[in-house]
Amino acid sequence: RVQLMESGGGSVQAGGSLRLSCVANEDSASVISKNYCMAWYRQAPGKEREWVAIIYRDTDVKVYIDSVQGRFTISRDNTKDTIDLQMNNLKFEDTAMYYCATLSTKLRCSQRLYSFLGQGTQVTVSS
């Protein structure tokens, strides 16, 4: 059973920074190595969930949605099985619940269709 535990959320003023972290675990096996890519998603109140950033296992390629390009950075630590999201210059519209996700196959990664989602961590940005 996959377990994804997010942390690092909180309240910050616009222009501030937060670093989210996701610890992955599956029966003591490496989650990162078993999934084609890993990602962060977010969902704001009244809006649909959207992918924010993706990191590919084999190439280390990172892809971001346009609205966070240049402000957010996704990274991973294979030895610790963690995925982080550094968020700088936060804006009010970044306010959302942020989720760590596994995407097990190449097709899922290309379609941004997650396989498993964590419980989430709340990010609130005040203007």
Side-chain angles (χ1 to χ4, degrees):
R1 175 180 174 83
V2 176
Q3 291 182 320
L4 300 174
M5 183 68 69
E6 301 96 336
S7 63
S11 297
V12 65
Q13 289 188 330
S17 299
L18 284 173
R19 187 176 183 89
L20 307 183
S21 184
C22 171
V23 179
N25 183 270
E26 183 178 15
D27 299 327
S28 299
S30 171
V31 173
I32 293 178
S33 65
K34 292 174 64 175
N35 286 275
Y36 198 84
C37 66
M38 301 286 292
W40 284 92
Y41 287 72
R42 68 184 180 186
Q43 186 168 19
K47 294 187 178 181
E48 293 187 355
R49 186 175 294 140
E50 63 177 355
W51 72 277
V52 176
I54 289 180
I55 184 166
Y56 286 79
R57 177 191 62 202
D58 297 337
T59 62
D60 207 36
V61 168
K62 304 167 186 178
V63 186
Y64 304 91
I65 56 169
D66 289 345
S67 60
V68 307
Q69 183 75 44
R71 300 187 297 121
F72 290 13
T73 302
I74 188 171
S75 62
R76 65 181 179 185
D77 186 328
N78 292 346
T79 61
K80 298 180 180 179
D81 224 12
T82 59
I83 299 288
D84 288 354
L85 185 68
Q86 177 66 42
M87 307 185 296
N88 298 327
N89 191 22
L90 283 161
K91 302 178 180 181
F92 176 75
E93 51 265 37
D94 294 320
T95 296
M97 184 71 79
Y98 283 72
Y99 302 89
C100 177
T102 64
L103 295 87
S104 58
T105 66
K106 182 178 182 179
L107 180 61
R108 284 184 173 273
C109 293
S110 67
Q111 295 183 343
R112 311 295 192 247
L113 182 62
Y114 60 83
S115 304
F116 191 84
L117 210 63
Q119 295 297 309
T121 184
Q122 178 68 38
V123 171
T124 302
V125 184
S126 57
S127 58

